[in-house]
Amino acid sequence: MISITIEHLSKRFDGTTALDDVQLEIAAGEIFFLLGPSGCGKTTLLRTLAGFTEPDAGRVLFGTADVTRQPPHLRNTGMMFQNYALWPHLSVARNVAFGLEERRVPRAEITRRVGEALESVQLSGHGERRIHQLSGGQQQRVALARALVIRPTCLLLDEPLSNLDTKLRAEMRGEIRRICHAARLTAIYVTHDQKEALSIADRMAILRAGRVLQTGTPAELYRRPASQFVAGFMGESNFLPGRIHQREGDRAWVVTPLGTFVVRMDDPRWPAGAEVTLSIRPESWRLGPAGRGNEVAGRIVEQVYLGDTAEYSIRVGETLLRVVELNPRDTRRALPEITASVAPEDVVILPRELSAPS
Ligand code: ATP
């Protein structure tokens, strides 16, 4: 297990800034996600870690060793890409053995290590099969075994599940997490799928235009985003413009077009009078009067029953609120008039941004 330190990495490709002063500390054994929209620099960062792209400035440390100018083969990173490029004409075992044959590992050791790698991805007994005889998920496991068998210093994964259907993706999420932790590997995983990141990551970074906007655990980024962009990227949210009316202890009273909300806040940045944006996730609302404040009354203009949840669009004055109800009892609410409330802990205060997140 090694830690990875990324210091002030920058990279430009004729006129495009792919990485802009990126700084990250990834702990040994951590599964760390790089998440962001298309073109934000995720793949460039991964390729810089593997040694395929040379940065214009900054350093990459594996443990305490500076590997910034080291060629890829000396870094010994294991890689698994979206297009996992297995050889269809070779057996599963030969595919997995390839990296070891290249390194001229003795035959007996190859056989033993391939067996161990296949066991770790639960494909023992499949060594002699051809690749085309395997399901998509099994092929993914072979690609993972091939990356693991060289005993890499760290594992780099670039959208490894994007070719799989929804059910297999969900199954492989748990598998990848289990295998990485069992092998005690430091893993860096690139995706633009926030569900994948939330379900596998120990910690993650959100990138935008080559910059790291925020790092944290999945729950920190989902529940305590620092900007409207991060809040919107992690999932759906209702954004309300507001002004802080009063602060007292860890409470703030924020005036919005929907009324005054009490918000739990320990951030000293915003004094009374500050213009802010409130972020409230659709699932934070409770339907029906709760008598605990933070209530709005509106009219349901759209409702979708989904079994485990129901989704509502509720018009409150000029604002359209998105509300998700868990375990809905009414398959369709007959009365359009409704009250919804939210707990102070579930309202996040964000800086006011001039434009909505893209
Ligand atoms: P995606 O999710 O679409 O794969 P990404 O976040 O991985 O995107 P990168 O592939 O790292 O983004 O690209 C970051 C920026 O750098 C983009 O604007 C891209 O067009 C540019 N870029 C990347 N590689 C090159 C290259 N070899 N030559 C020129 N521009 C490049």
Side-chain angles (χ1 to χ4, degrees):
M1 284 204 297
I2 52 145
S3 60
I4 298 174
T5 308
I6 296 165
E7 290 179 350
H8 302 288
L9 269 193
S10 290
K11 177 71 184 175
R12 282 176 73 81
F13 294 105
D14 22 79
T16 308
T17 302
L19 300 176
D20 188 1
D21 197 29
V22 171
Q23 298 193 63
L24 291 170
E25 284 278 350
I26 297 154
E30 195 165 47
I31 304 180
F32 192 91
F33 268 65
L34 301 172
L35 189 66
S38 186
C40 71
K42 304 180 296 289
T43 299
T44 305
L45 183 50
L46 209 64
R47 289 178 58 84
T48 308
L49 295 178
F52 297 128
T53 297
E54 201 174 316
D56 300 333
R59 297 201 307 164
V60 176
L61 306 183
F62 283 0
T64 53
D66 183 345
V67 298
T68 319
R69 310 281 157 210
Q70 212 174 51
H73 68 279
L74 292 181
R75 299 191 191 191
N76 202 39
T77 54
M79 279 174 292
M80 187 171 164
F81 292 143
Q82 182 179 126
N83 174 1
Y84 39 89
L86 299 169
W87 286 284
H89 59 288
L90 294 184
S91 67
V92 167
R94 286 295 307 285
N95 267 281
V96 176
F98 182 77
L100 298 178
E101 286 168 359
E102 239 187 1
R103 287 168 174 77
R104 305 199 187 290
V105 172
R107 176 59 44 200
E109 190 181 338
I110 291 182
T111 307
R112 184 173 53 78
R113 281 171 61 177
V114 167
E116 283 169 9
L118 288 177
E119 192 182 334
S120 73
V121 299
Q122 295 178 342
L123 279 182
S124 293
H126 288 67
E128 291 319 307
R129 293 238 191 131
R130 304 279 138 176
I131 295 302
H132 67 83
Q133 294 173 313
L134 302 180
S135 70
Q138 287 172 328
Q139 291 185 23
Q140 213 75 24
R141 285 166 204 260
V142 176
L144 192 53
R146 188 178 58 177
L148 294 174
V149 79
I150 61 163
R151 298 194 181 134
T153 44
C154 62
L155 189 62
L156 307 176
L157 304 117
D158 194 351
E159 304 262 5
L161 305 184
S162 58
N163 286 338
L164 301 182
D165 64 39
T166 317
K167 191 163 168 283
L168 264 180
R169 281 173 83 113
E171 197 182 302
M172 282 302 288
R173 283 177 191 163
E175 273 297 277
I176 287 190
R177 197 174 152 79
R178 179 188 67 75
I179 292 163
C180 286
H181 280 317
R184 298 161 62 83
L185 267 175
T186 310
I188 303 188
Y189 192 126
V190 159
T191 185
H192 58 256
D193 179 337
Q194 73 274 26
K195 282 271 166 19
E196 205 160 297
L198 287 171
S199 61
I200 310 177
D202 291 318
R203 281 195 316 135
M204 54 206 208
I206 309 289
L207 278 81
R208 184 191 198 183
R211 288 197 146 256
V212 174
L213 294 186
Q214 193 175 351
T215 56
T217 63
E220 281 164 357
L221 291 191
Y222 189 81
R223 294 192 56 79
R224 294 287 142 195
S227 63
Q228 211 168 316
F229 181 84
V230 172
F233 196 78
M234 297 305 297
E236 205 180 342
S237 204
N238 295 289
F239 296 112
L240 303 173
R243 191 173 46 79
I244 297 186
H245 172 64
Q246 192 190 334
R247 289 198 59 169
E248 207 178 290
D250 68 350
R251 302 270 139 155
W253 282 258
V254 183
V255 180
T256 79
L258 304 192
T260 299
F261 285 84
V262 184
V263 182
R264 225 205 87 202
M265 176 174 78
D266 31 33
D267 194 323
R269 263 183 305 172
W270 291 295
E275 302 283 343
V276 296
T277 297
L278 297 188
S279 170
I280 306 174
R281 299 268 182 218
E283 70 277 12
S284 300
W285 295 98
R286 294 284 166 271
L287 294 182
R292 56 176 186 178
N294 285 358
E295 278 181 20
V296 297
R299 197 180 167 80
I300 296 175
V301 292
E302 201 184 323
Q303 51 181 317
V304 181
Y305 179 73
L306 293 167
D308 56 344
T309 56
E311 297 176 354
Y312 303 97
S313 297
I314 300 175
R315 179 164 293 288
V316 187
E318 297 292 299
T319 306
L320 207 55
L321 278 185
R322 296 276 298 149
V323 173
V324 169
E325 183 184 25
L326 251 183
N327 189 24
R329 297 213 172 92
D330 302 337
T331 52
R332 247 186 129 69
R333 284 182 180 268
L335 289 175
E337 306 300 331
I338 197 149
T339 305
S341 69
V342 62
E345 293 71 24
D346 291 333
V347 185
V348 180
I349 298 187
L350 301 173
R352 179 74 67 86
E353 286 171 28
L354 293 178
S355 58
S358 56

